[in-house]
Amino acid sequence: MAVKFDVKETERKPAIDLYDLVAELFPINRSLTGSGVRKTLGIVARHIGLEINEIKSGTAVLDWHVPMEWNIRGGSITTLDGRVLVDFASSNLHVLAYSKPVRGVFTRAELERHIHTLPDQPDLIPYRTGYYADDWGFCLPHNLWQSMNDEVYHVEIDSDLSPGSLTFGEFFVPGEAGDEVLLSCHVCHPSLANDNLSGIALMTALAVRQARQKRRLGYRFLFLPATIGAIIWLARNEPVLVNVKHGLVLTCLGDSGRFHYKRSRKSAAIDQAIAHVLRHSGFSHEIMPFNPYGYDERQFCSPGFNLPVGCLMRSVHGTFPEYHTSADNLDFVKAEALDQSYSVIETLLDLLDANCTYQRVEGRGEPQLGRRGLYRAIAGEREVGGATQMDLLWFLNLADGNHSLLKMAIRADIPFARLESSARIALDAGLVTRVPNDQKRIE
Amino acid sequence: MAVKFDVKETERKPAIDLYDLVAELFPINRSLTGSGVRKTLGIVARHIGLEINEIKSGTAVLDWHVPMEWNIRGGSITTLDGRVLVDFASSNLHVLAYSKPVRGVFTRAELERHIHTLPDQPDLIPYRTGYYADDWGFCLPHNLWQSMNDEVYHVEIDSDLSPGSLTFGEFFVPGEAGDEVLLSCHVCHPSLANDNLSGIALMTALAVRQARQKRRLGYRFLFLPATIGAIIWLARNEPVLVNVKHGLVLTCLGDSGRFHYKRSRKSAAIDQAIAHVLRHSGFSHEIMPFNPYGYDERQFCSPGFNLPVGCLMRSVHGTFPEYHTSADNLDFVKAEALDQSYSVIETLLDLLDANCTYQRVEGRGEPQLGRRGLYRAIAGEREVGGATQMDLLWFLNLADGNHSLLKMAIRADIPFARLESSARIALDAGLVTRVPNDQKRIE
Amino acid sequence: MAVKFDVKETERKPAIDLYDLVAELFPINRSLTGSGVRKTLGIVARHIGLEINEIKSGTAVLDWHVPMEWNIRGGSITTLDGRVLVDFASSNLHVLAYSKPVRGVFTRAELERHIHTLPDQPDLIPYRTGYYADDWGFCLPHNLWQSMNDEVYHVEIDSDLSPGSLTFGEFFVPGEAGDEVLLSCHVCHPSLANDNLSGIALMTALAVRQARQKRRLGYRFLFLPATIGAIIWLARNEPVLVNVKHGLVLTCLGDSGRFHYKRSRKSAAIDQAIAHVLRHSGFSHEIMPFNPYGYDERQFCSPGFNLPVGCLMRSVHGTFPEYHTSADNLDFVKAEALDQSYSVIETLLDLLDANCTYQRVEGRGEPQLGRRGLYRAIAGEREVGGATQMDLLWFLNLADGNHSLLKMAIRADIPFARLESSARIALDAGLVTRVPNDQKRIE
């Protein structure tokens, strides 16, 4: 299942080893707030000039308030004779996120109300959160819980939930134009590799890439605690939103499943662009309609913002057995899968950046390609693979100031990059001009 | 094949026993005009405050004139030795509707020109009319006619065709708004049960229902002799037509066939509404394009009116063998089928009535459902049947003042009633306002 | 596979025997320019008042210049002992079109660079051109070339490429209105029967037909050397283009393959019209999207003109083995196939000419057809084949000033000619008026 884009060499490796970055981030305990998020963003910031923001607990933001900051040092369930059965140190999934501190001896029955297991996947630890639950809890393998038959246990969670701040990261690389592409991932999950260290690693590598290369558009990379992080960013950046022409939430991109793209709420160019890229990528994929569940596209696509933001995944949250369990680990995520995801997204970004509109200098009739060396001299020769001439004819026919390159590529059903090449040839030959952005009649 | 609407209890019985009403109306001889129509409307008027209108014969109306009134007391074909072979008293289908009076002895050959049979269904009596034919005739089983080998027969039709009036019924229950729903059935067929005593019975029961319950829209119930009745009503009610936002012709709704809905000419909300109701009804059904043949939708959808009126049927006229024969009788129509039809239409009317538009008070981002008790505290718990939370997310995402509840239900592909529940929850929580009708941007 | 149009008798023979005309034109050597084109147009001009235009070599036209005129008297490859192996006199395909004159003795290796063969079709002569190649060459069966093992050959091409002119023909039959239909074929191929003597013969016969009959639209018939001919005509006729409401390039219409219609670039009424005609023709057919390769639709549909011009073919250029070889001859083309193509196009032209818009005089309700003798008196009689009444109901329902007859025919899915008959009946009965062209709201 090697990457097989038709024209461009896309197997260029990302500047950062994606799998290594996932592995480096894996052990850290992350949550909506707290030191784990800061540590994670600190690692990202070694690669890009990440701006790190701290928003004070209690700050009002739209319909919400920034929550207390949660930090945890340890958590365990121990038999009275001192055997540690469940230990946060061995897996940070063991403690319900946002657990209050607790310390004491509980009967099994009392404890049970605080225990989360997966009876259908009895060897896995579930991932659970109780952000606004004012509760505490443990997550453990069902088999383990079944084997725990003592009458009482010693329980300890050494956490604190107190005023502090919520942390998020942002990195913006400006373009020639004011228009920009927004990319977003969540940074609030603990040791879960696919959901969503894959997104954090891809965003970091893509940010390095976009910062290094010539670009027409600006690129904004957001590393956000889910929901509240997106709401905070949106509320604080309303003047910027008008520039967001395309957006993408990146998540669950490290497993080996087929690609899934969930369309934006409003039906936008990004939807067509990704569908086009996936269609010509050689990868199995599926386009899904928008729905109001999922990741932070929920916030970007809320009716008051309604931004052109979709969500790119491989396997879809909630549909693969490893989802939100201890099986979403460094075995589940594959280096090759991460690289494939990277290649799809870089192709997409290159498409968006090059998706301009062209207009023929003289649109009446075909230009005489022969005298410009752009036509084979003996017209009868059968074409051998060389779709190039046909690409150029498509480009010249549709370069009417009303078709973006993407619209052309979709109508002609040929990969975008080949129309981009045609545009370059035609521009060099003086056959077309690029329509300035502010005169474009189309998006 | 019990009614299986997903959310609402719709097996509430109609206030009137539908089958009993069909049975009560069955023996009456109806035609375009005459005492049978008056008697029929008189029975309907026992249940609802029906306004009964009489329009004088000869009255000019659009391209037509109100026909003479036809009444008939008897009709027979008798052998010269006195054996009655064909008798109107045993079936009112035996005499061609609008037959002139006749009395005399005719040769078999002379009589044959006035005989209508069904050679392919030789035991059934056909239903035939000759409204403007200035003729007389008998309808009888083909086998009977084949067995009639006398040279001459005594023939008598005791009818009269003379100036009188055409009778139709109307019942209007006003709503809060000026907008209204028009429902129409024909009342001009003699002893035919499915076509269209089923329609008359359903209209009567639905009128009782709508009059009793709180309603936003007005409901207009028309009991019309086909074609000329609809033309008369339309011509006399032009100022009302602008209020007709949805309309439905009801016919052939008592047999056990699958549902058929014929779309309106203009493509209207009613078309989407019925398609949605049928899709979630659990009943087999088919949506048909508009065509200019059929029932009074022909008049409502004539180009000068072009009202949003479709036609709901179970089996389609002309496609079932009992159609327009003596087999369209009280055995062919089933109580259960009538009740199912009732449940579909009441669900539709409830949908139309509740189909409002809502707008989020604060549309930026999702509202914090948790602090309003509208979100499960432990986010990781898998959903168990509880589509409710997803419904609410759909509603809140699409409550932008541009989506009616029906548009939401179609986009989300969930039953209307569940979005209606979501709307109520969100309204109670102060999360949305209802967009006043006259500010709605959509229908 | 006889012509089976539903209503009209379309097997009327064309005024000219199509096959005979193809056969008469077959031996002539045609190219972009030269005496062969003049001779061809001279034969066409015996049937229609063809205007023949000569454009001087070197004339600048849009992005092009009119090429030198090419004429050829002979060409051969001969062994040194005088055996003529390849002779232009036996097939004018033998010499590469626009070959420079050459005379001399060449080694087999030197000659090889000027030889064109078809290794996969070793007995056929390919058709090759080198219009702007400044070269010479021979086309011959691959087997023949393989058998030629002498070390040297005597080669002669007696041609000249010198200032002269390019010749094209035009014939216009005006209509009542300014609107017109453009039909175009190419006249630059030598002895190739399907591509495109079929087009020339059909155009000639259709021109005779249209000139003879009453017509609403004008019809413009263009006989053009491909590409440069179309560019010249377009450049010289810009004021006319606004009148071109429909256009069609005719090519490859003499073989027995299924019909193929390639849509216009802009999506126009012609596309719907041909799809409708083919759908009801009884012939197997396929509708293809526009692409910028093919025949002179490339020029008519270039972005600066963007005319509503499609291309009608039977087998598609490049997809049948006889294409551009000596097998595209008088055996490949069939009289019956030409006649079928003629019948399709004449049906299309009649449709375009009759495609008016009508409006009901009184659109409210159905008119009373009975008193006008347009309704069967006994309404219950089952319809026997007589779709006529249903056609009339469709027409009267859609005659709202917004539906052309074609739109009606497509919506009702009945052949255009039956709605045309309905229109005539309704017009005679005073039920509708024809909407004048300049008040039409639709095309």
Side-chain angles (χ1 to χ4, degrees), chain A residues 176 181 210 213-219 348-356 416 434:
Chain A
E176 292 165 19
V181 181
Q210 295 310 100
Q213 73 180 20
K214 189 169 155 44
R215 60 195 171 262
R216 183 174 63 96
L217 304 173
Y219 293 84
L348 171 73
L349 299 185
D350 287 350
L351 185 163
L352 296 174
D353 214 275
N355 189 26
C356 295
F416 181 90
R434 209 174 101 182

Side-chain angles (χ1 to χ4, degrees), chain C residues 3 9-10 38 69 107 142-143 159 162 164 176 190 230 237 244 287 307 330 343 367 389-390 401 405 418 425:
Chain C
V3 186
E9 176 51 58
T10 51
R38 279 183 206 101
E69 181 174 330
T107 65
H142 193 67
N143 284 342
S159 66
S162 51
E176 291 166 19
N237 288 279
V244 176
I287 308 294
L307 296 175
L330 293 173
S343 76
Q389 179 177 305
M390 190 65 179
L405 286 184
R418 279 160 53 183
I425 291 166

Side-chain angles (χ1 to χ4, degrees), chain C residues 323-342:
Chain C
Y323 176 71
H324 276 200
T325 75
S326 51
D328 182 359
N329 58 27
L330 293 173
D331 290 333
F332 181 54
V333 162
K334 306 293 180 198
E336 189 192 10
L338 288 164
D339 288 349
Q340 290 170 346
S341 299
Y342 181 87

